[in-house]
Amino acid sequence: MKRILVTGATGQIGTDLVDKLMEVYGDDNILSCSRRARPDNWAGTHYESLDVTDGKRFYELAKDFKADTILHLAAVLSAVGEDNPQLLWDINVNGLYNSLEIARELDTALFVPSSIGAFGPSTPKMDTPQVTLQRPTTAYGVSKVAGELLCDYYFKRFGVDTRGVRFPGLISYKALPGGGTTDYAVHIYYDALEKGSYTSFIGKGTYMDMMYMPDAVDCILDLMEADPDKLIDRNAFNVSGMSFEPEEIKASIQKYIPDFTMDYDVDPVRQAIADSWPDRMDISAAKEQWGFDPKYDLDAMTKDMLEKLAKK
Ligand code: AKB
């Protein structure tokens, strides 16, 4: 990666990722694109407004910037997608199609995040294999499976260097997620500090894979820099840093804020989505093929989140 265009740059992943890309590859080699306004701390860096469904503008930006890599993050998350499946399809599938065509025409590498949402109720819930049944029951999941298959197709048919991971719930102190099912595991830290209590919309006993954002950012860089000859499962690798249920994150927070309390007001839509997803994925393919090595477990993440959010 030398000249990198990032879509969805002001979203939850992009906010952390762009900072790291600038640090590693130099500000001048990163073009951040988003439908939102440029964040203040990116003043003086390359920034363009982009709706990824506008293929012509997307192509021109990538060509003019002489991008060799596109990190395509623009997407609608699971809960918003159930509310508006038409919007989800337009952005997640038509936007992805544009990025694939641009990568093919300009001969760039392409990273596309998939998700634990690419699995469904018939997928094995424990140690979910890298290659397994994928029959998701959400609009988000359908778009993610379509994305994985399209990315593999473009690699095999046109030789486009497509790579991806199945992200679990991502937790960051820098930016909030926008309408996902795993968002409770971010909101809980804010409320723990602000109110000393949290009402969870995900029910007790619901396990989901999660990862702290510094590990997620490192994993994108590591995968994109990995030796292509070693990659068997390009789209997309299971990755995760931990798996927990609401009572376990509560207990972790109580180690630092002993009076913290939590109750439940379960949202049936998000609970049904969570119930259709794995409890814990097998991440051995990512470890073996490109050395995936997450650093944060639940307690290490809680300590860092609380310290960073308290300062913020
Ligand atoms: C969501 O909850 O929709 C996302 C995801 C796991 O893909 N965080």
Side-chain angles (χ1 to χ4, degrees), residues 77-78 115-116 140 167-170 180-183 277:
L77 293 183
S78 56
S115 159
I116 51 173
Y140 182 65
F167 272 135
L170 297 179
T181 302
T182 56
D183 297 11
W277 288 355

Side-chain angles (χ1 to χ4, degrees), residues 36-75:
R36 297 194 198 123
R38 178 205 304 255
D40 292 343
N41 60 328
W42 292 351
T45 65
H46 299 289
Y47 188 89
E48 293 288 345
S49 149
L50 173 67
D51 173 347
V52 293
T53 62
D54 180 349
K56 189 166 174 288
R57 177 161 168 78
F58 192 171
Y59 173 85
E60 278 160 8
L61 288 176
K63 187 164 188 281
D64 291 350
F65 190 65
K66 298 188 174 47
D68 63 25
T69 304
I70 297 171
L71 306 180
H72 181 59
L73 305 179

Side-chain angles (χ1 to χ4, degrees), residues 6-9 13-15 17-18 71-76 111-113 167 220:
V6 184
T7 71
I13 303 174
T15 302
L17 177 65
V18 166
L71 306 180
H72 181 59
L73 305 179
V76 167
F111 172 83
V112 180
F167 272 135
I220 296 174

Side-chain angles (χ1 to χ4, degrees), residues 119-148:
F119 297 118
S122 51
T123 303
K125 275 183 119 37
M126 280 306 287
D127 297 324
T128 307
Q130 173 62 40
V131 179
T132 185
L133 260 180
Q134 288 181 263
R135 306 283 297 171
T137 46
T138 61
Y140 182 65
V142 174
S143 79
K144 289 298 177 190
V145 175
E148 290 184 10

Side-chain angles (χ1 to χ4, degrees), residues 229-244:
D229 294 340
K230 300 214 168 107
L231 302 180
I232 301 162
D233 303 290
R234 286 177 162 262
N235 302 285
F237 288 92
N238 290 356
V239 291
S240 174
M242 62 199 90
S243 164
F244 56 76

